[in-house]
Amino acid sequence: DAAVLLLSHVDYRTGVLRDMAAVTELAHAHGALVVWDLCHSVGALPVELSRAGADFAVGCTYKYLNAGPGAPAFTYAARRHHAHARQPLSGWHGHARPFDFTEEYEPAAGVSRFLSGSQPLIAAAALEASLELWRRVDLGQVRAKSLALTDLFLELTAEAGLECATPVEHARRGSQVSLRHPDGYPMVQALIARGVVGDFRAPDILRFGFAPLYLRYVDVYDAATALVEVVASGEWRDPRFARRAQVT
Ligand SMILES: Cc1ncc(COP(=O)(O)O)c(C=O)c1O
């Protein structure tokens, strides 16, 4: 009886890449619309929303798109939904005639109806600079580099003996590697102290993201070596790494 299915294209915990076309087709066959969360795929791999028949999508631009902290989010709506979809956070920039200041709310035609209030222009300027770079980037090359980086990390960290939560198959992997260990939190903290910034997701995931545009193979080598050393030496057992911070 579900009306809407909301799914992450790349799962933020495990790094599993879902088959957007197949899942969308299945949802449609059961009468549900699909909203895709692209936060962990946009800028990391090619995303083909219209080819997959997706209905809606949302995403952030501060991760793989590199638009910086506080960069604006985005939304996508398939053309077939533009005329009737209502945006619950309606604001004057989504109005058909914002400067008429009418009593009634009349949504703009097309995707503009999804806008709400005034845009954060300083953050949008940083996003524009990032997108200017992306216009010159071949996403096929980005994906190839991402897979090569994550392959290398998987190969080098195997020695640490941690269980891997991320699929080994390329077709099912995003641009991250998630490893499992009950003491993942202090292990990540010990790595951060060495300058390797991963993060921890409860209950037991050590998560490493790979931004293909600027990350080098030597960075991956250094990070993997640090992880193997942290685990083997037990340096993560230092009590200062067990202190829980709000950001994990
Ligand atoms: C799955 C997922 N969706 C959305 C977001 C972004 O949320 P917001 O733009 O509110 O920071 C994130 C950020 O970590 C995420 O991992």
Side-chain angles (χ1 to χ4, degrees), residues 8 12 37 39-40 60 62-63:
S8 285
Y12 76 95
D37 183 326
C39 286
H40 293 263
C60 63
Y62 57 76
K63 297 187 197 287

Side-chain angles (χ1 to χ4, degrees), residues 9 41 62 103 129 216:
H9 187 206
S41 46
Y62 57 76
E103 296 288 318
R216 302 167 303 167

Side-chain angles (χ1 to χ4, degrees), residues 144-154 173 177 210-212 215-217 220:
K145 170 117 183 266
S146 155
L147 289 170
L149 292 169
T150 49
D151 274 345
L152 179 63
F153 189 76
L154 282 168
R173 189 197 307 162
V177 171
F210 297 80
L215 207 62
R216 302 167 303 167
Y217 294 97
V220 173

Side-chain angles (χ1 to χ4, degrees), residues 9-11 13-18 143 147 150-151 154 163-180:
H9 187 206
V10 172
D11 189 284
R13 268 207 183 89
T14 59
V16 166
L17 168 63
R18 299 200 165 93
R143 176 64 170 157
L147 289 170
T150 49
D151 274 345
L154 282 168
E163 184 192 332
C164 183
T166 303
V168 176
E169 308 98 280
H170 285 177
R172 296 188 58 234
R173 189 197 307 162
S175 198
Q176 77 182 58
V177 171
S178 295
L179 303 171
R180 286 186 196 279

